[in-house]
Amino acid sequence: PEDMDTPRTLYKITSNSPGSEVAAEVAAAFAAASIVFKNIDSNYSAKLLRRSQSLFAFADKYRGSYQASCPFYCS
């Protein structure tokens, strides 16, 4: 990454530009992390779980494929 000479363009998902697969994947990662931290830091675990639920609700409500950063999420 230190020698990266290509632009690092940022993309985001919104209700007008949904990305169900991205939001759901991050929701799954947060949910898994909440289990890891449950006995270590219960406050952080609860925060991760809340964010996971919020992201999943977003993915479910605003269904649509994320196509902005092809070729990463095109298939």
Side-chain angles (χ1 to χ4, degrees):
E2 292 81 13
D3 295 331
M4 186 174 183
D5 59 359
T6 58
R8 298 183 94 171
T9 307
L10 295 175
Y11 299 97
K12 67 178 180 178
I13 57 173
T14 67
S15 58
N16 293 326
S17 179
S20 300
E21 65 274 33
V22 175
E25 187 71 28
V26 174
F30 281 7
S34 76
I35 294 169
V36 172
F37 284 97
K38 188 173 184 176
N39 294 326
I40 299 167
D41 186 341
S42 61
N43 290 330
Y44 185 56
S45 172
K47 182 178 182 177
L48 286 166
L49 188 57
R50 284 191 306 273
R51 296 288 169 95
S52 172
Q53 292 166 334
S54 175
L55 278 168
F56 184 81
F58 176 89
D60 191 35
K61 184 175 181 178
Y62 301 105
R63 293 181 179 201
S65 184
Y66 183 73
Q67 296 285 329
S69 68
C70 286
F72 300 109
Y73 294 103
C74 294
S75 60

